Amino acid sequence: ISLGLVGSEMCIRDSLHVIINRNRCRKVKNTALAIFLIMLVVMMQQVKVAPFAPESNRDRFLHVKSMSISNSNWGDGTSNGPMSVQTARECFQSLKTPEAVTIYTIFPVSTPVSLPGKPAVSVDLRQTDDIFWHVFDFSFINGKPYDKAVFDAGQPVAVLTESVARSLFGTTEVTGREFLLSHAPYRVAGVVKDVSTLADCAYGQVWVPYTSTGMDNETWNDRHMGICLLYTSPSPRDRG
């Protein structure tokens, strides 16, 4: 009987050790899960503000994404939304303090591209001005961005990502070649490395001058409001 009691005590002791160890494991797992979730939240917030190409100057950006206007004839009514190119130019591009001011569409739009006689593929199109290429630091692997003369003339040129270039032409050496953008002929000005969607201001797969599409003339409310335009201005660097 004594031996039996001793054996029972040992079994109980072992069972208690197992239960305690399991509880410890649960606590460790719960703690690890909590730390992981905290790190995930921090990382999600960090990618919104941390500088990385082509948005390496994030700490110097000022974004104006929308505006609100009223009229004495409207009573309490207002018109809210993106501004027109004309408004952005008159209100912001005349400023002397910013180092650079660029105007471009607030988000990319899915648009078909193709070669003549070939099936079209959908790409994310963003329309910009020429200053856009001075504000954001894209990595060009072929060609170059469109300049002020090309932009002012409204020439149908485009910058492609390397993925789009390979999809259309099978290579990235495509500067000067033509393709169809929404069935309109465009010439390739340059090719850049693919851009992460986390770079939400610079992201696109194809970029064209908005003067080539006439988007800058699509306005309303006395030309104050426009089609989804975003104004960005880096502040000047501190000078010692």
Side-chain angles (χ1 to χ4, degrees):
I1 296 174
S2 297
L3 290 174
L5 289 173
V6 172
S8 298
E9 290 176 358
M10 292 179 64
C11 289
I12 293 172
R13 192 183 301 115
D14 290 342
S15 297
L16 288 174
H17 280 306
V18 171
I19 293 172
I20 291 171
N21 288 334
R22 286 180 177 174
N23 288 335
R24 285 176 179 171
C25 287
R26 289 195 188 98
K27 289 180 180 179
V28 170
K29 289 179 179 178
N30 290 339
T31 302
L33 178 61
I35 293 173
F36 168 75
L37 292 175
I38 292 172
M39 291 179 63
L40 182 62
V41 171
V42 171
M43 290 174 63
M44 290 175 64
Q45 294 302 314
Q46 186 71 8
V47 297
K48 295 180 180 179
V49 296
F52 62 91
E55 297 183 1
S56 300
N57 293 317
R58 276 182 166 183
D59 59 331
R60 301 170 56 225
F61 284 170
L62 169 65
H63 303 290
V64 182
K65 296 186 177 182
S66 60
M67 60 178 285
S68 178
I69 62 174
S70 60
N71 188 305
S72 58
N73 296 325
W74 299 349
D76 295 330
T78 59
S79 178
N80 306 295
M83 68 189 73
S84 66
V85 172
Q86 176 183 336
T87 300
R89 284 174 176 168
E90 293 182 359
C91 291
F92 299 108
Q93 285 197 323
S94 60
L95 297 176
K96 303 302 181 183
T97 300
E99 188 173 324
V101 176
T102 179
I103 304 169
Y104 55 100
T105 48
I106 196 169
F107 52 79
V109 175
S110 181
T111 307
V113 296
S114 65
L115 295 180
K118 300 290 185 179
V121 296
S122 181
V123 300
D124 292 329
L125 172 70
R126 192 185 288 274
Q127 302 183 47
T128 80
D129 58 14
D130 57 294
I131 304 172
F132 180 85
W133 304 105
H134 299 285
V135 172
F136 298 105
D137 53 330
F138 289 84
S139 298
F140 276 80
I141 59 178
N142 188 244
K144 60 183 181 180
Y146 39 85
D147 58 19
K148 186 177 188 304
V150 172
F151 172 78
D152 289 343
Q155 294 184 26
V157 299
V159 172
L160 314 180
T161 61
E162 53 184 331
S163 293
V164 172
R166 289 194 180 98
S167 176
L168 285 174
F169 302 102
T171 178
T172 58
E173 303 293 320
V174 296
T175 298
R177 298 182 65 173
E178 291 193 349
F179 68 101
L180 299 177
L181 176 73
S182 289
H183 310 292
Y186 270 73
R187 177 174 53 83
V188 179
V191 179
V192 297
K193 291 183 177 179
D194 290 346
V195 179
S196 170
T197 55
L198 295 175
D200 58 344
C201 291
Y203 170 75
Q205 294 176 303
V206 175
W207 297 263
V208 301
Y210 58 70
T211 50
S212 70
T213 66
M215 189 199 68
D216 50 326
N217 294 318
E218 299 180 30
T219 64
W220 58 92
N221 284 340
D222 295 326
R223 295 178 60 83
H224 293 303
M225 310 298 284
I227 296 185
C228 298
L229 288 177
L230 170 67
Y231 151 81
T232 304
S233 171
S235 59
R237 295 185 184 277
D238 293 335
R239 293 177 171 82

